[in-house]
Amino acid sequence: MHPLNLNQAFTLIESGPVVLVTTRDGDRANVMTISWTMVVDFTPVFAITTGEWNHSFAALRKHRECVIAIPTVDLLDKVVGIGTCTGADTDKFAQFALTPVPAQLVGAPLIKECLANIECKVIDIIEKHHIVVLSGVAAHVDAARQERRMVHAVGDGTFIVDGRKLDRRAMMAAKLPPGV
């Protein structure tokens, strides 16, 4: 083993999949790329990291709702492109040929091209750590979608793609809380 710059230690603990988060402010929908996500407990509560530096944050704070859209590896170049421009001067849905679909319970749109979409309400914003805590209120999945592999950001401009799924449900059945 050899020393690693402590500022790079986060690349060792890779987070959940890279997601797209949509917001709406008036007639304008926007989408941002988020690579730091978290599931909170075994409930439909999630957390993302974002803040004032992100154009979508103002709409997220003001309207307190969004959609977490789960892209797959075939959308990686669009996901990176979305994350490298601002919605302040770019219609990202048009620029990246994404189809906004009306959500059931929130004003922010679903993204048709994504594997899944989770409609969310903001339940807390922890300013000190730039964490937005979200409660899922509806979820949608495209069961017919062929590509299902998600991507994970390492944090240095590289990504890891989901691989084989290993099934240990029977082994864990006695250990999981009811309903999971």
Side-chain angles (χ1 to χ4, degrees):
M1 294 220 180
H2 65 284
L4 174 69
N5 181 328
L6 191 54
N7 290 334
Q8 296 300 310
F10 73 93
T11 66
L12 301 172
I13 305 175
E14 184 243 317
S15 65
V18 176
V19 300
L20 297 173
V21 175
T22 68
T23 56
R24 178 173 297 284
D25 193 11
D27 291 337
R28 182 153 179 187
N30 194 32
V31 58
M32 63 180 161
T33 300
I34 297 288
S35 60
W36 290 346
T37 61
M38 181 174 67
V39 174
V40 180
D41 203 10
F42 287 102
T43 61
V45 177
F46 311 97
I48 62 173
T49 301
T50 190
E52 297 289 344
W53 64 86
N54 196 310
H55 178 70
S56 293
F57 185 70
L60 194 59
R61 176 185 274 155
K62 178 180 175 183
H63 299 287
R64 302 189 69 79
E65 61 183 23
C66 66
V67 170
I68 299 174
I70 315 296
T72 50
V73 67
D74 56 321
L75 298 174
L76 181 58
D77 289 345
K78 290 182 182 197
V79 168
V80 172
I82 289 164
T84 57
C85 67
T86 177
D89 58 19
T90 305
D91 177 346
K92 295 184 191 182
F93 280 93
Q95 177 76 23
F96 297 99
L98 296 174
T99 310
V101 176
Q104 293 177 338
L105 302 174
V106 301
L110 311 177
I111 300 176
K112 180 181 180 181
E113 291 78 12
C114 286
L115 172 64
N117 290 268
I118 307 167
E119 299 179 43
C120 298
K121 299 279 188 173
V122 174
I123 56 175
D124 198 5
I125 298 176
I126 305 166
E127 302 274 348
K128 179 179 178 182
H129 297 291
H130 310 290
I131 296 172
V132 179
V133 183
L134 306 164
S135 178
V137 295
H140 315 271
V141 66
D142 183 352
R145 195 164 201 306
Q146 293 296 310
E147 182 60 75
R148 302 180 78 75
R149 295 174 297 156
M150 293 175 265
V151 293
H152 303 262
V154 175
D156 60 359
T158 63
F159 297 84
I160 297 170
V161 178
D162 284 344
R164 245 179 358 134
K165 187 182 268 190
L166 305 174
D167 186 346
R168 298 294 185 274
R169 288 179 282 192
M171 186 177 185
M172 295 176 64
K175 306 288 183 200
L176 293 175
V180 175

